[in-house]
Each structure stands twice: as structure tokens, then as C-alpha cells.
Amino acid sequence: MSVINNIRKHSGWAVGFIGISITLFVLGDLFGNNTLFGGGNNQTLGEIDGKEINIQDFQSRLDVMRQNYEAQTGRAAGEQEMTALREQAWNQLVIDIAYRKQYDKLGLTVTDEEMVDMVQGNNISPAIQQAFANPTTGAFDKSAVINYLKNLNTLPVAQQQAWADFEKNLRADRLRQKYENLIRLSSYVTKAESEREYMAQNTKASLRYLYVPFYSVPDTTVKVSDSQLESYLSDHRDEYKGVDTRTIQYVTFPVLPGKDDSTALSTEIKTLARGLASAANDSAYARMNSDIALPMDMSYASMSDQLKEAVKTFIPGGIYGPYREGDTYFIYKYGGTKKDTVSTARASHILISPANPSDSAKAAARQRAEAILNQIRGGASFEALAATNSTDTQSAQRGGDLGYFQNNGSMVKPFEDAVFSMSSAGLVNRVVESQFGFHIIKVTDPKSNTLYRMAAIAKTIAPSQSTRDEAYRKADQFAASVDSKAEFDEAVKNDKSLVVATANRIPESSSTVNAIQNAREIVRWAFDDKTGMNKASKVFETDEQYVVAVLIGKTEKDEVKVDDFRDELTAKVRNKLKAEQIMAKLGAVGDLDAMAKKYGAGALVETTNDVTLATGLLSSAGFDPLALGEGFGLKKGQKSKVFAGENGVFVMELVDKTEAPKIADYTPYKSQLQQAIESRAAFLLNEAIRDNANIVDRRAKFF
């Protein structure tokens, strides 16, 4: 039975592996009743490469996937799981239809002999190796596969079907690999391209330049008209793709527990605390009475800040609490500590990634990382430097914080080794290199492998029915009083307790509205053909609140308007107008210092030495390929004309240029380019297939 569970597990892995190749669409996650909202009896879910996808056929496929998931996990699929399964089912259809057409054109197949080789031959599939790994050693056991197949016909029908599905996924995965490899290996880098890359990485120039950044001209001094925006959009239509979205404003009426609700729970949890203290099996008692499943063994990292402070005073056998965190009360029976097999730590980092895989780019990245480390050693704020320098944009928003993690391979090895070599909090006194770049690391909570045994009960304050009824009454009264945007605004103005929120450009497939989860009903209302502009909605119930909304904006895929991209277009046109002003004021090209002095505030004259085309950065302007290209194209001592770059207006002067010496072998540079092309091949291939298949996706109308 454990083998078939592994097969189910890795069947999902195989399907998921296929699914990764397709760019995911965002889906809604509430299934209607097989009816097309606002679309009469149309049962067509979409179209792939000219083939219509019927909702019943899709649902049949989805039902099989749901049943496999529930058999694998032992629990019913929730809304979040169903969203993922619908996405997987759709991606399988793309594979089966759009990809299959390409396979057939090329004559690609996976023979039965190949399948035998993948399952029990000399080239075992990774999925088979994982499914039949020895549970003790983790090593693959081929004899287990052979024995399983010998007895396959004696197994229940459901298990035989699971194996058939597993093999089907293996075959599909191998076919996709063949196709992608065929495209990937058909790419070629010429000697001329390799030589050009070598020259870009190794030819160095010293540039002196006049730079007037666009931001030096206040935005308020440059007026942008709608006609200018229309003209710009018309000239750059291909850059601005239309999409169906809606913008709404809304107010919420939260269902918050009242004083009576809190009092009732407080009494209940005191009774539970006495029961927990006397329970013969405290862990079983806690599980039966807790609203939230809590682990018996807690690491310090997994605790709330309140519990971290409190646990220092706990004595084994004692009952502690209740502690309130939000709307939840916690009580704990403390059972002492034990040692875990892995350690946990918390750290922050600043990641400096090279611009490309070349040695020169890596050297430049290391040099920059070393400079940042020196700034921190000198007293600079780690968090501030992370926010402005780290190429890990997600952690940069948190000052570099990565949260807690274990030394179990969850982080790349050089990073993990550096963090867990620290016995106390503080800065790792060196730059750490990994495949992602160069890390400056600060350990904020040092390693610990202590686990705290806690029998814990969590009880959440639930609003009573009378509380819910009162919240709905207020929402319904508000909705009944408004029909238009004007009435909506007036009603909000008269009720100081209401706060208007705006959700911009909601896609039709979205299941959320800002932070509101399970909001498909609101999204469907916003996209309903019967919903007019500036019209207010009925009352929607979402999670623990009621919502009343008003539709204030829409964009259409087939009709791109200035308002759809107003902010982006305004910035582009404004910079263009600024460039014209700056260039007119600078006048004719002459001595750079004299030009800057004549221009006045905002003009900078700077020099950048030993810059390359491949990795070049200008001091204040940063990465500006237009300026770099203009500078490298000059002769020694020559100045460029006045021109607009990416971030401002320039006059470039080439002070000196050292050409890269000729070499006999450009193979390393050819390999770099080849690897870059091959790494993009699968993604670009999928994009091309999708575009060629003319996929029409109407799933949001059904789910």
C-alpha cells in the first residue's frame, strides 16, 4: 500500500512537472452549477488550437484528479486545492492538444521499449526512483519495481488505474523532454557572436559625460495633455496590450465578536485549562478541544513573540495562559524540552547578483558586495542597505529578513553553512558566494535545536448569530439606500465609521479583491454585462465581513484606451517633454564643464573609468545602455551630440578605450551565450505554442 501511495504522490509530481512548463493562468476558485454566468446555456469552457473544450469533459477530467488527490491525502479537497487542480487540468489539456499537434508534426513518440527502460531498465525515471526508494536508506530498489509489476494484476482495480495514470504521465513527460531538447539543441552560437560577447565583456573605456537627470526637472512644471498621451499610445500600440479588468470601490461591514462573545469564550477556556491540567493524556485532550491543530513539539522559531517571552518562565507540568493573540486564546501544558535532529536560525541577507555569468560580472558583483559589507562594518544600517541594494527583492522589502529556517537544505549550502557556523547573533564577517550571487549575512537569531513540548489548546472567539445578524442589518440598510456612485459617496460621507477602499484592475479570473479572500461573487458581479458603470451592488458575504461595492472603471482586451495605462503613459510622455526642454537649454555641444555651468542646477559632469558594455554602470545614471553605446561608439577625445538616454539627457565624451586583446579561443564565451539561449528555450517554446494555439480561456465564467 505504501508503494501505491508513493506512486500517487509522484504521479502528481509528474503532472506538476509538466504543468511547470506552461505559464500559469490565474483562476477563480468557486465552482458554479455548470452554468455560464451571464452567458445563457453556453457550455464551452474555452478553445485550444481550434478545439472547443466542453465544461462536462473538463469536469470529468477534474473529477478524476480530485479523486486521486483525496485518495493520496486522505481528506477532501478544499477550495484552494480545487483551484490548483483546475489549473493542472487545464494545463494538461494544453499539453494534450497544442503540444500533441507539434509532436505529431515532428513524428515524436515514446515507444513501449522506452517505457520499459524508464520503469525497470538502465535509464530509470526520477519519478520511479523516488516512488520505489528504500524508506530506510532512501536508495532506489529496482527489485521493488519488478515485484510490484509482477503482482499488479492481483491488486485492486483502483491501484491498477493509479499505476496506469502514473505511466501515462511518465510517457507525457518524456515526450515533452524530447520536444524541448530538440528545440534547445537546435540553437547555435556563431564565432562572430562569441567574439562580440568577448569584446563586450573585456573592452574597457573611460567616459566623461554631462548628465541631466529627468528627475531634476519637477513634474509639476511639465504639463501632459490627453492628446499627447493619445498620440504616444498610437505610436507604441504594440507595447500596451489590452486586458479585461474592473475597478471597484467598496465598504466593509466586519463581523467582529462582541463583548458577550468574548466573555463566553473566556469562561469556556478556563474550564478547558482545568481539564488539561488533570487529563491523563494531555496531547489527546488538547487535540479534541482545540480549534487549531498545534504541534506537540514547538521550536522557538515557531512561537509567537508573546510565547517566546513567556516560555522562559515555564516549569514542566504547569498550565499557562490564557494568552490572547488577535481573536484566539491559547493555553499550554508545558512538558519540558528535548533536542531536535536539525537546528533552526533566523537571518537577513543582502544579495548582489552578477549581471551575467562572466568572470568580469562576478568580479564586479563581489567588489560591490565587499563595499556594502564595509559600509555595514562602519555603522551603516543593514536594513536600509538591503532595501536599496539587494537583488532579492522579496526579502529586500523586509530589510533583508528571511525569517526562520532549518539546516536541512532549505537554503543553498554556502549560505546555510555560514549561518549555522555562527554561535551568536551578528554580522557574518565575510561575503558568502553561492550560485545566486554574493551574500552579506546578518544572523538575527542564532542556531538552536531545542524543542519545547507543549500540549496546547487554541480557541477562537466566534461571533454569535446575533452579532452576525447585526452586521448584516447595517450592510443591507446601506445597500438599500444607494444605487449610484453619487449616492454611495453621500452615504459614506454621512457615516463616519465607513472607510472606502479601491481595488484597481481586478482580472476576471481573480478570486480575491485586495485582501478579501473568496471574493469570486464580487468579481463575477463586476464583470456581469448587467452591471452598469457607477452602479452599486447588493450585499456580498466574504469570510468574516459583508461588502457593498460600486463599479467605477473597466478596461477591455480589444479596446486599449489611455486611461488603461494613464500613469505609465504620462511618465513616458513627461520624460520626453523634459528631454526636449533640457536639450534646448543645453544648446550646442562644447566644453562639458562650461555646458553644465551654463545650464545650472541639475547638471552633473562625471567620469567613469574602466567600464564595459556588458556590465557597465554610470555613477549617477546607473545602467543606461543608450548612453554606454553612444560612448563606446566615439573616437578618443570625441564628444557625442546631446541625446536622451533612459534616465536623463547626456553628452558623452570618450577619454580612453582599451580594446580587448585578440584571443585564439572564444569557446568560454560561446558556452555562456549557448547556456543563456538554452535556459530560455523551454519558456520561449511554451509561449510560442500558446500564441500559435490561439487559446481562448473562459474558465472564469464557470468557476
Side-chain angles (χ1 to χ4, degrees), residues 124-139:
I124 304 294
S125 163
I128 292 288
Q129 293 182 33
Q130 292 186 46
F132 291 90
N134 186 298
T136 303
T137 65

Side-chain angles (χ1 to χ4, degrees), residues 240-437:
Y240 297 92
K241 302 296 183 182
V243 63
D244 294 329
T245 70
R246 298 293 183 266
T247 296
I248 66 172
Q249 287 185 335
Y250 61 92
V251 292
T252 62
F253 298 82
V255 183
L256 300 175
K259 183 179 180 180
D260 292 342
D261 302 326
S262 181
T263 301
L265 182 61
S266 178
T267 301
E268 180 186 0
I269 204 154
K270 287 175 183 177
T271 302
L272 290 172
R274 291 191 292 270
L276 183 60
S278 59
N281 188 331
D282 53 12
S283 60
Y285 184 87
R287 282 196 300 271
M288 285 191 300
N289 290 284
S290 182
D291 292 343
I292 304 171
L294 297 168
M296 284 297 298
D297 296 323
M298 292 187 183
S299 67
Y300 190 73
S302 66
M303 296 179 185
S304 67
D305 291 340
Q306 182 179 202
L307 183 56
K308 285 178 182 176
E309 288 301 314
V311 76
K312 299 172 184 176
T313 65
F314 287 5
I315 298 172
I319 299 291
Y320 298 92
Y323 300 101
R324 183 171 179 174
E325 297 175 15
D327 287 335
T328 304
Y329 285 100
F330 295 86
I331 52 174
Y332 301 95
K333 185 174 183 180
Y334 181 52
T337 63
K338 68 177 186 179
K339 296 299 181 183
D340 196 0
T341 56
V342 295
S343 294
T344 303
R346 184 174 185 172
S348 300
H349 81 146
I350 302 171
L351 176 63
I352 305 300
S353 300
N356 58 57
S358 68
D359 291 340
S360 59
K362 289 181 179 179
R366 177 182 285 277
Q367 184 177 12
R368 185 179 170 204
E370 295 282 6
I372 292 172
L373 179 60
N374 287 332
Q375 290 182 58
I376 297 169
R377 287 171 178 157
S381 167
F382 186 101
E383 292 72 22
L385 288 173
T388 55
N389 291 276
S390 182
T391 50
D392 179 3
T393 55
Q394 190 171 8
S395 68
Q397 297 173 5
R398 303 186 298 271
D401 182 34
L402 295 166
Y404 286 95
F405 50 88
Q406 295 180 321
N407 60 336
N408 57 1
S410 57
M411 297 293 183
V412 290
K413 192 173 188 306
F415 183 93
E416 194 172 271
D417 290 346
V419 170
F420 287 94
S421 68
M422 297 279 285
S423 58
S424 60
L427 189 68
V428 175
N429 200 29
R430 61 186 175 89
V431 169
V432 176
E433 182 179 2
S434 76
Q435 63 261 44
F436 297 109

Side-chain angles (χ1 to χ4, degrees), residues 98-151:
Y99 270 61
R100 172 60 62 183
K101 185 176 182 179
Q102 303 303 318
Y103 299 157
D104 292 344
K105 282 183 178 179
L106 295 168
L108 293 178
T109 60
V110 176
T111 65
D112 291 341
E113 290 77 13
E114 283 182 88
M115 286 298 300
V116 172
D117 190 43
M118 290 167 62
V119 174
Q120 53 183 304
N122 297 321
N123 298 285
I124 304 294
S125 163
I128 292 288
Q129 293 182 33
Q130 292 186 46
F132 291 90
N134 186 298
T136 303
T137 65
F140 169 62
D141 185 358
K142 185 187 288 188
S143 63
V145 184
I146 296 171
N147 289 333
Y148 179 81
L149 294 177
K150 284 181 179 178
N151 297 308

Side-chain angles (χ1 to χ4, degrees), residues 524-575:
R524 289 196 190 100
W525 164 81
F527 278 90
D528 194 314
D529 293 338
K530 297 177 182 178
T531 302
M533 282 291 295
N534 297 313
K535 287 294 184 179
S537 74
K538 64 177 184 179
V539 178
F540 297 107
E541 182 177 2
T542 63
D543 297 330
E544 294 301 313
Q545 59 192 337
Y546 297 102
V547 179
V548 180
V550 60
L551 180 65
I552 64 169
K554 61 173 65 176
T555 65
E556 305 291 349
K557 181 179 180 180
D558 299 326
E559 185 183 353
V560 180
K561 303 183 293 294
V562 165
D563 282 341
D564 298 350
F565 300 96
R566 181 169 290 274
D567 290 343
E568 299 97 315
L569 292 171
T570 299
K572 292 284 189 182
V573 174
R574 184 187 291 123
N575 282 344

Side-chain angles (χ1 to χ4, degrees), residues 177-310:
Q177 288 180 23
K178 284 186 175 185
Y179 184 42
E180 289 186 357
N181 286 338
L182 182 66
I183 301 300
R184 180 174 58 84
L185 296 175
S186 67
S187 62
Y188 181 75
V189 176
T190 66
K191 180 181 178 181
E193 290 172 318
S194 306
E195 184 176 358
R196 185 173 60 194
E197 180 65 16
Y198 165 75
M199 298 297 289
Q201 292 185 26
N202 293 279
T203 296
K204 297 180 178 180
S206 293
L207 300 169
R208 191 164 182 265
Y209 52 91
L210 169 67
Y211 171 53
V212 183
F214 292 140
Y215 64 75
S216 66
V217 179
D219 289 352
T220 54
T221 65
V222 181
K223 304 300 181 184
V224 179
S225 67
D226 280 356
S227 62
Q228 290 171 316
L229 297 178
E230 290 283 2
S231 178
Y232 187 91
L233 177 60
S234 178
D235 292 340
H236 300 82
R237 184 72 62 178
D238 291 343
E239 299 175 26
Y240 297 92
K241 302 296 183 182
V243 63
D244 294 329
T245 70
R246 298 293 183 266
T247 296
I248 66 172
Q249 287 185 335
Y250 61 92
V251 292
T252 62
F253 298 82
V255 183
L256 300 175
K259 183 179 180 180
D260 292 342
D261 302 326
S262 181
T263 301
L265 182 61
S266 178
T267 301
E268 180 186 0
I269 204 154
K270 287 175 183 177
T271 302
L272 290 172
R274 291 191 292 270
L276 183 60
S278 59
N281 188 331
D282 53 12
S283 60
Y285 184 87
R287 282 196 300 271
M288 285 191 300
N289 290 284
S290 182
D291 292 343
I292 304 171
L294 297 168
M296 284 297 298
D297 296 323
M298 292 187 183
S299 67
Y300 190 73
S302 66
M303 296 179 185
S304 67
D305 291 340
Q306 182 179 202
L307 183 56
K308 285 178 182 176
E309 288 301 314

